[in-house]
Amino acid sequence: MAEAAGPADASAEFNAALMRQTLNTELLRVQALIATALIFLAISAVTDVFEPRIVQWIWPSTVGVLAVYGIIAAFVAFETLVLFRIKSDIRHGRDVPIVWRYVSVLVETSLPTLVLMMQIEGIGPDKALGFGAPLVYFIFIILSTLRLDFWLSSFTGLVAAAELLTVALLDRPSIDVSQNPEIYYHGERSFIIFLGGILAGAVGVQLRRQFAASIAAASARDRVTDLFGQHVSPQVVERLMKEGTAEARDIREVAVMFVDFRGFTAASRSKTPQEIVERLDGAFAVLVDILERHGGIVNKFLGDGFLALFGAPFETRDAAPQAVAAAREMVEAMDRVNVTSSWPLRIGIGIHLGEVVAGSVGSPRRKEYTVIGDTVNFASRLEALNKEFGSHLLISREVRDAAGDGARDAVFHGEVAVRGYDRRFEVWQLQ
C-alpha cells in the first residue's frame, strides 16, 4: 500500500518543481535573446544591401560593420551554448550553478558595450552615446526578470550602468563636475539603468512568488488527490475537487458491477489476518487495474468484494460494453492467478444497466460519492445468482442488448426468480 509523502519529501518535490519552472523561464529568456540578436543581424544585413548610406553613416568603416556582425554572431553562439546547457540541466534535474549565471550576465550585458565602443571610434562619443546602443541594455534588463532572481537582475542593471558610465567618461579629460557638467547627464542615465535592474529584480521576485504559490497549490492538490484517491476512486476525487462542497446529484444510466469472491469467508478461517489482507490486496490490485483500464471505477470495497461503476461519475455511452469487456478480462486474470496461488479464489460478477441517482450522500460532516437505485440492488442480486448457477459472470437483458457484439455469445438461463422481486427476469451468462 502506498505511503503518504512526508514533509521532507513534499519540500523536495516543491523545490524540484520550482527549479524546473525557473529553468524553463530561463530557457525562454535565452530563446528571446537569440531571436532578438538574429533580428538585429537580419535588419543590419538588409539595410546594408538596400540602404548602404545609412550603414556608412553609422559605421564609416567596413571593418567596423563586419566586426559588429562578428560580435552578434559570437553572442548567438554563446547563447546557443547556454541554451543547450539549460536543456541538459532540465533533463537531468539539476540546477545551473550560480557562478555560471553571473558569468552569463557579465558576458551578455557587455555586448552593447563592445558595440558602443566601436561606434564611438567611428562616429564620435556624442553621436554614439545618443544612438541606439545604450538602449540595448534595457533589453537585457527586461528579459532578466525571467531569471526570477532579484540579485541577478540587479547585477544586470549594475553591469550595464557601470559599463555605460565608464565608456561615456573614457575620453573625458577630467571627471571634475565643474569642468565637465555632462557627468551629471551620464551619471543620471546610468543610475536610471541601474534602477531599472533593481525594478526588474523586484518583478522577477514577484513572479517567482507567484510560481511558488501555484506550485505549492498544485502540490497540495496532488497530495490530497493521492491521499483521498487511496480511499475512493481518483475519478471521484477529481469530480469532488471540481464541484467543491456542492451537493449536486443527477440521474444517469450506469452499468453497475458487483464482484465477490466465493467461499472466501470459509477459506479465511484457517488464515491469519495478515494473510487474509495480503491475499485480498493482491487480488484487488489485479482486478482494479483491469477495471480502470476499461473505464470503470471502484465505488466501494465490500469486504471480500466491491461495487464498481461504468458511467459515473463521468458519463459514457459505452458503459455496458466496457463493463462486459472488463468482467471477461477479470475472470481470465483470476484463472491465471489461481494457477500459481496456494489460495485460489473463485470470483463471481453480476452486471446490470439502468438509471441511478449519483452524487454525494451522507451527513454534513461525512459524505461519500455513491449511486442509489434499484439498478444497484438488482446488480447485487445478479451476482448472488452465480452461486446458484455455478457461474462466474451473469448479466441482465439490458446489459446484453447494450453490449452488442461483446455479449453475443451469452448463454440464456431463461426468466429467473430473483430474491426480493415479485416477477422473473431474464438472466444471461458469459463465459
Side-chain angles (χ1 to χ4, degrees), residues 114-256:
L114 293 175
V115 175
L116 181 59
M117 292 176 64
M118 295 179 61
Q119 204 167 32
I120 287 175
E121 289 292 327
I123 61 178
D126 293 335
K127 289 183 179 180
L129 289 170
F131 204 59
L135 299 178
V136 177
Y137 289 118
F138 284 104
I139 294 177
F140 295 95
I141 291 173
I142 291 171
L143 290 177
S144 73
T145 58
L146 294 175
R147 291 183 181 272
L148 307 181
D149 188 306
F150 174 80
W151 298 110
L152 282 171
S153 292
S154 299
F155 184 66
T156 303
L158 177 63
V159 171
E163 291 187 358
L164 176 60
L165 185 60
T166 300
V167 171
L169 301 179
L170 204 57
D171 294 329
R172 304 295 171 182
S174 173
I175 59 172
D176 188 347
V177 176
S178 61
Q179 296 182 29
N180 291 291
E182 289 183 1
I183 292 176
Y184 278 124
Y185 168 73
H186 296 299
E188 182 183 30
R189 290 207 311 173
S190 296
F191 175 75
I192 291 174
I193 288 177
F194 176 53
L195 184 61
I198 294 176
L199 293 176
V203 173
V205 169
Q206 185 60 33
L207 288 174
R208 186 182 182 90
R209 287 174 180 168
Q210 291 180 354
F211 283 134
S214 298
I215 292 170
S219 298
R221 184 182 185 277
D222 289 343
R223 287 195 297 273
V224 170
T225 301
D226 290 342
L227 181 60
F228 196 19
Q230 293 176 17
H231 300 277
V232 297
S233 168
Q235 293 91 331
V236 175
V237 176
E238 186 69 24
R239 172 163 176 156
L240 294 179
M241 294 286 280
K242 288 181 178 179
E243 294 181 351
T245 58
E247 297 185 4
R249 303 184 184 99
D250 48 22
I251 298 176
R252 63 177 61 193
E253 188 174 67
V254 174
V256 179

Side-chain angles (χ1 to χ4, degrees), residues 351-381:
I351 309 174
H352 182 45
L353 178 71
E355 288 189 343
V356 298
V357 177
S360 297
V361 177
S363 71
R365 293 180 58 85
R366 173 73 164 83
K367 295 182 182 293
E368 70 173 4
Y369 182 87
T370 190
V371 290
I372 298 174
D374 187 64
T375 300
V376 181
N377 299 329
F378 188 72
S380 176
R381 297 289 188 261

Side-chain angles (χ1 to χ4, degrees), residues 25-37:
T25 58
E26 179 78 2
L27 195 64
L28 179 62
R29 186 193 67 84
V30 174
Q31 291 170 338
L33 283 176
I34 292 175
T36 303

